[in-house]
Amino acid sequence: MFFCIFTYHFLLASGGQYAGIWVITNFTFHFFIPLAVIINWFLFESKKMCSYKCIFYWMVYPVLYCIISIVRGYSMVFILISF
């Protein structure tokens, strides 16, 4: 979550000219929600110790998502979309 906040703040926030709803969605998705998750964890979650085995279970989804995204990216034909 800290990675998401810092990446948005230092790399993405000043990189474009956003207006309207884009300002709200970028702030919400990249700053407010990660900050809310961190506060939720500190205030409401039980602080039981997890074994190192838990790390592998938590990493299954992000690793699969990354693999699927890379495979899908390589399999797509380049399409120029004009905004």
Side-chain angles (χ1 to χ4, degrees):
M1 290 296 126
F2 284 118
F3 181 73
C4 181
I5 292 171
F6 290 135
T7 302
Y8 172 72
H9 180 71
F10 292 113
L11 299 177
L12 302 175
S14 63
Q17 300 298 325
Y18 300 111
I21 194 71
W22 292 107
V23 175
I24 297 169
T25 56
N26 275 329
F27 177 79
T28 302
F29 289 143
H30 297 106
F31 187 77
F32 180 72
I33 290 177
L35 190 61
V37 168
I38 293 168
I39 292 170
N40 178 52
W41 183 80
F42 277 118
L43 295 179
F44 301 112
E45 295 296 323
S46 64
K47 306 299 186 286
K48 66 178 183 173
M49 294 295 294
C50 290
S51 66
Y52 287 109
K53 187 170 56 172
C54 292
I55 295 171
F56 297 108
Y57 294 136
W58 278 98
M59 290 304 296
V60 168
Y61 178 75
V63 168
L64 286 176
Y65 184 83
C66 182
I67 292 170
I68 290 169
S69 297
I70 290 171
V71 168
R72 185 169 181 230
Y74 278 123
S75 66
M76 290 180 61
V77 176
F78 181 75
I79 300 172
L80 180 61
I81 300 174
S82 177
F83 289 102

